[in-house]
Amino acid sequence: MESQRASAIAHGDHPIAAPLSDESVRRLLDRAMPDGTGRVLDLGCGQGQWLARALDGRPGLRGTGVDVDAAILEQARQTLAGAGLLERVDLIVSDAKGASFPSPFELVLAVGVAHVFDGLLPTLAAVREHLAPGGAVVVGDGFWERPPAARTLDVGFAADEYEDLATTVDQVTGDGWEPVYGHVSTAAEWDDYEFSWTGTLTRWALDHPDDSESGAALEIATRHRRDYLRGYRGTLGFVTLVLRRSA
Ligand SMILES: C[S@@+](CC[C@H](N)C(=O)[O-])C[C@H]1O[C@@H](n2cnc3c(N)ncnc32)[C@H](O)[C@@H]1O
């Protein structure tokens, strides 16, 4: 089973592709957009869930979503159309690296996409190219809650992939950004995200025993659940920062 198909099914009950509750997403957007007007860009927008939440209740806001995956962008289109928001959104199938736009954005979202840009600081460098003066960024990435032990490295992480939380924030501030808010995903948000991911894929496999990919789906879900519980639960953290430029 292709990982994109597995991921699309797995995110069915938790369409924000990060360990964040709906309430956390709402609060982060409120802090990032006190006046709720202007233009928002979502780099790696996935199913368009951040854009939908940003535009809902903010009629003065327009959105642009970029994702390299045409199938997931079609899901975004359906989500936004279903919410009556599509006429205020442009959805673009493109590599977010090197994407360019005619004018800058008051808010840029980059959540769970640091791997696309090869790290958090390169992500912020890319974001900055699209940011209007005085604009805000919502960026979400991993950090180490504790130094990764062998059990975490054994499931595919590299020790130098992340830093601890304080060092992560120091790197961001050292790069000229000021955190105007931040949210560290709770253990409950992590468990909800991971058990939704693996549980929804498992349910799909059990409900589609005749599908040629049912067995593969169950294997992917089982492996992912084991990697989480035995490998990175409590070690990998996730922080979402609302940032502005200090100068
Ligand atoms: C972990 S998901 C995050 C989705 C969304 N930001 C969210 O929080 O729900 C990463 C997304 O980045 C997209 N992506 C991966 N490589 C990309 C690239 N080079 N350019 C644009 N999007 C990319 C994937 O298709 C996927 O939708």
Side-chain angles (χ1 to χ4, degrees), residues 4 7 11 14-18 20 42-50 66-70 72-73 92 94-97 109-113 115-117 193 238:
Q4 281 162 324
S7 174
H11 283 106
H14 193 304
I16 294 281
L20 287 163
D42 191 348
L43 296 171
C45 66
Q47 294 186 21
Q49 295 289 331
W50 281 88
V66 178
D67 204 288
V68 78
D69 179 349
I72 207 166
L73 217 53
I92 302 167
S94 169
D95 189 337
K97 279 183 292 188
L109 309 173
V111 181
V113 294
H115 61 287
V116 171
F117 299 95
Y193 179 53
F238 194 84

Side-chain angles (χ1 to χ4, degrees), residues 29-101:
L29 288 169
D30 283 348
R31 299 292 177 101
M33 290 185 294
D35 70 356
T37 59
R39 297 166 69 238
V40 52
L41 169 67
D42 191 348
L43 296 171
C45 66
Q47 294 186 21
Q49 295 289 331
W50 281 88
L51 282 174
R53 287 160 169 80
L55 268 63
D56 185 38
R58 296 182 179 93
L61 193 66
R62 286 196 61 85
T64 297
V66 178
D67 204 288
V68 78
D69 179 349
I72 207 166
L73 217 53
E74 180 50 35
Q75 283 184 270
R77 186 176 311 281
Q78 288 170 17
T79 298
L80 290 156
L85 300 168
L86 194 55
E87 69 276 7
R88 284 193 280 137
V89 182
D90 297 313
L91 295 174
I92 302 167
V93 180
S94 169
D95 189 337
K97 279 183 292 188
S100 67
F101 306 93

